[in-house]
Each structure stands twice: as C-alpha cells, then as structure tokens.
Amino acid sequence: NLSACVRKPKHGTVSAATLAANLFPCLYLFALAWAWFFFSPGRILASAPWITLTSIGLLSAYLVGRLITAHLLLMDFPVVHTALALPTLAVANSALAHFGLLPAPPVDELTAAYALLAASVILYTHFAHDVISGFTTHLGINVLSIPYPPKTK
C-alpha cells in the first residue's frame, strides 16, 4: 500500500514563508525570460521565438515538476537550482551589449538560445527518466529496464 510508505505531515506544518520560497525559482525564471527578451540587442524573441519559448517552457516544466515531486514525496525543494545558471548566463550575455559594456554580445544570441534549448531538453529528459524510474522502482515495476533473468542451478 503506497499510503503506508509515505508519512503524512500534520496539517499546518509548512509555513507560508516556505511556500513562498518554493515559488522563487519559477518567478526568477520568468524574470530572467523577461530580462532576456528586453535586453536582447537582436530581439531574440522576434528572430527565434520557438527556440526561446521552448527553452523557457521546458525549464519551467522542470521546476514545477520538481516542486510537485518534492511535495508528493515530502522532500526538501532547493531554492537555488543549477538549472537556472544557463538562462542567467544568456541574460548576462545580452545585458553586456545592452548596457554598452561590450559592442556586441560575447556569444551570438542564437548560439546561446540553441545552447539553452539543448540544455533544457537534456535536463527535462533526465528529470522525466528519474521520476519514472523512481516511481517504478518503488512500486516494483520493470519499466525502462530489462531485468536480469534469475540464475538457475
């Protein structure tokens, strides 16, 4: 029985500050997306909308999925994610040129967008595989794996 395996917290054990801190990575990601679209000298949203929106969408789906999984399994949800490092670098790349610190972004914006897309796809695929394998291992179901046959004597 799955409900016997998961300990249930008492009502009211999670504070409002903890819940607000759990939303911080998602809000930070959306602020990064807005800043990237605003600071982009080449208007990355107009030139490559599917790349940027897919990247931001996959990262937000990853963060929300991690949040839901952490609440279901009663685990801690870290406020600082390494998944937010690459979008932060993409914004910094565009902001350097926007504020006149450099004549052009150090890395081409389209290259940065493709790098963000590749990292987002890899990160979300890894997350989906971890969730599927974690739940199926817990339930004793063989999915995404081929079990070794039992040894006969």
Side-chain angles (χ1 to χ4, degrees):
N1 190 353
L2 185 61
S3 63
C5 298
V6 177
R7 67 175 176 86
K8 296 182 181 180
K10 296 179 183 176
H11 181 69
T13 56
V14 178
S15 67
T18 304
L19 293 175
N22 286 344
L23 292 177
F24 176 75
C26 296
L27 296 175
Y28 181 71
L29 177 66
F30 293 131
L32 280 176
W34 180 84
W36 190 22
F37 302 150
F38 182 74
F39 293 144
S40 173
R43 297 295 173 228
I44 191 70
L45 187 59
S47 62
W50 72 271
I51 298 170
T52 54
L53 294 178
T54 303
S55 302
I56 300 302
L58 283 174
L59 284 173
S60 65
Y62 165 76
L63 289 173
V64 169
R66 286 282 310 259
L67 180 65
I68 291 171
T69 306
H71 282 288
L72 283 175
L73 300 177
L74 302 173
M75 298 169 41
D76 290 332
F77 183 71
V79 176
V80 178
H81 284 275
T82 55
L84 297 174
L86 200 55
T88 304
L89 291 175
V91 171
N93 182 46
S94 296
L96 286 172
H98 179 77
F99 291 119
L101 299 173
L102 292 175
V107 178
D108 181 45
E109 284 188 315
L110 196 56
T111 305
Y114 275 116
L116 183 61
L117 178 64
S120 301
V121 167
I122 291 168
L123 182 69
Y124 191 76
T125 304
H126 183 265
F127 166 70
H129 180 267
D130 280 351
V131 168
I132 291 169
S133 63
F135 280 121
T136 57
T137 301
H138 179 70
L139 296 174
I141 302 169
N142 293 323
V143 177
L144 304 175
S145 64
I146 300 171
Y148 289 108
K151 295 183 179 182
T152 59
K153 292 184 180 184

